[in-house]
Amino acid sequence: MSIELLAETAQAMVAPGKGIIAIDESTGTIAKRFASVGIENTEENRRAYREMLLTTPKLSEHISGAILFDETLRQSTRDGVPFAKYMADHGIIPGIKVDTGAHPLAGCPGEMVTEGLDGLRARLQEYYKLGARFAKWRAVINIGESIPSGTCIEVNAHALARYAALCQEAGLVPMVEPEVIMDGDHDIETCYEVTEATLRALFDALYQQNVVLEGTILKASMVISGKDCEEQADVEEVAESTVMCLKTVVPAILPGIVFLSGGQSDEQSTAHLNAMNQLGTLPWPLSFSYGRAMQQAALKLWAKDPKGNYAKAQQTVYERARENGQAALGKWEG
């Protein structure tokens, strides 16, 4: 492990005005996305769709890296160039999702724990050889009556830290993602409390397991009202609450923080990020790692006519990347 190389990669991931595109949906998840627009879920369709995204002209102006699924990292463009090589040649850092999903946490009804540590060391070594330079692991924290429990937060923080240590051993920058889920009728104050507790546990676990923070990226959820909350917090309150929570817990030595969109609309996710970056000087860059909020509009266009709408779909991807890149600088004008 080279701390210098890890730190260099992490800093490149959060370069000014750039963020991460997440195209790491599992085969089951992308099946749902495809079904919603009438596309058959075949390996070739998945490959073609992800090629459309990754080969978007000038994408690297606003995208520093892309998180891929295992299948995608092994695929190539229609011209036979492996996606990881194509990305590296065009200034985009290849990343890989390595967890195997969230599963019910035994003894804790309504709560989840993310699995995938078994055999992870060997998988990470293979992913590095295939060209990946960072990885992602997502934990799921639900808010509800009497949850999350301390047990749920602790076991997920421990797994994130074990994963992160193994990543750095293999030369990959770990992206740690403890997502506090928006589902529910909780208010923004409850989300703040849960997010703070989750992040405290995460950074304690990272410290205990000797993870080098200079070579780590946090993928955070925003402090936001639950989807079913009667009183939805406005853009300014979400921005101020999220930044306050992060300043309270996240060490300044971290190279950067990227946000997930987590069920927000395209415009909401961009507006919230923009508002945060207008709050003055912050200890770390705040950027984006959006999946649906980067892809949904382009997917609908592409699905209508994969050949005829190819350029239009790519233009839509570029425009979403540019808007979020501006928001990462606090310069989005809506």
Side-chain angles (χ1 to χ4, degrees):
M1 176 183 71
S2 164
I3 295 173
E4 291 77 15
L5 281 176
L6 287 171
E8 190 179 310
T9 301
Q11 287 161 9
M13 289 166 66
V14 289
K18 293 189 179 186
I20 310 287
I21 183 171
I23 55 173
D24 58 339
E25 302 91 351
S26 67
T27 306
T29 300
I30 203 161
K32 296 174 189 172
R33 304 266 173 93
F34 277 5
S36 71
V37 293
I39 292 287
E40 187 183 356
N41 185 32
T42 64
E43 181 178 353
E44 174 52 26
N45 282 344
R46 294 192 295 271
R47 190 209 64 76
Y49 171 61
R50 283 157 171 166
E51 177 174 6
M52 182 275 291
L53 296 171
L54 290 171
T55 59
T56 293
K58 302 186 293 183
L59 188 62
S60 63
E61 289 179 5
H62 307 289
I63 295 294
S64 59
I67 311 169
L68 309 180
F69 185 57
D70 179 277
E71 174 186 81
T72 316
L73 185 62
R74 302 174 192 280
Q75 290 173 328
S76 301
T77 67
R78 58 193 162 197
D79 296 329
V81 180
F83 281 146
K85 182 178 185 335
Y86 181 92
M87 292 165 66
D89 290 346
H90 289 79
I92 297 174
I93 304 166
I96 178 72
K97 179 178 89 162
V98 301
D99 67 72
T100 57
H103 300 270
L105 177 58
C108 298
E111 302 195 276
M112 312 289 281
V113 62
T114 299
E115 298 180 356
L117 288 172
D118 288 353
L120 181 58
R121 174 179 272 126
R123 286 196 291 129
L124 291 171
Q125 291 168 351
E126 183 189 13
Y127 289 144
Y128 188 92
K129 289 176 184 174
L130 287 169
R133 290 299 176 264
F134 73 96
K136 190 202 82 167
W137 179 290
R138 171 178 175 257
V140 172
I141 307 295
N142 289 313
I143 297 178
E145 190 174 346
S146 302
I147 62 172
S149 64
T151 300
C152 173
I153 290 174
E154 185 180 340
V155 296
N156 278 292
H158 179 83
L160 278 163
R162 287 299 315 129
Y163 140 83
L166 287 164
C167 278
Q168 292 188 337
E169 178 189 83
L172 296 164
V173 171
M175 181 183 281
V176 288
E177 179 184 0
E179 179 178 0
V180 177
I181 302 295
M182 278 180 68
D183 295 348
D185 60 3
H186 54 274
D187 57 22
I188 191 170
E189 288 80 10
T190 302
C191 182
Y192 186 108
E193 291 171 7
V194 171
T195 303
E196 181 181 351
T198 300
L199 291 174
R200 284 192 187 281
L202 170 63
F203 283 99
D204 182 59
L206 292 171
Y207 174 77
Q208 294 293 339
Q209 298 187 42
N210 298 319
V211 174
V212 178
L213 293 187
E214 298 96 310
T216 304
I217 295 290
L218 171 65
K219 182 167 179 174
S221 46
M222 298 180 193
V223 176
I224 195 167
S225 314
K227 282 182 185 175
D228 300 324
C229 180
E230 290 184 6
E231 288 189 34
Q232 290 289 316
D234 62 21
V235 170
E236 286 69 27
E237 188 176 1
V238 170
E240 289 169 4
S241 297
T242 303
V243 167
M244 177 63 73
C245 186
L246 294 172
K247 280 184 172 180
T248 302
V249 183
V250 180
I253 199 169
L254 201 75
I257 299 167
V258 295
F259 290 100
L260 55 97
S261 48
Q264 300 175 51
S265 70
D266 293 4
E267 188 169 337
Q268 273 183 318
S269 58
T270 306
H272 286 143
L273 176 61
N274 188 65
M276 288 182 221
N277 280 303
Q278 291 182 333
L279 291 175
T281 304
L282 300 169
W284 356 250
L286 298 182
S287 191
F288 62 94
S289 176
Y290 295 159
R292 259 177 305 188
M294 277 290 301
Q295 295 182 51
Q296 197 59 29
L299 174 59
K300 287 177 181 175
L301 266 175
W302 179 80
K304 286 178 185 173
D305 186 352
K307 289 184 179 177
N309 282 350
Y310 201 84
K312 282 184 185 176
Q314 288 191 323
Q315 182 60 27
T316 302
V317 175
Y318 176 79
E319 286 169 4
R320 289 295 299 141
R322 185 186 63 202
E323 288 173 358
N324 286 308
Q326 290 170 341
L329 298 170
K331 295 180 179 178
W332 180 65
E333 294 179 355

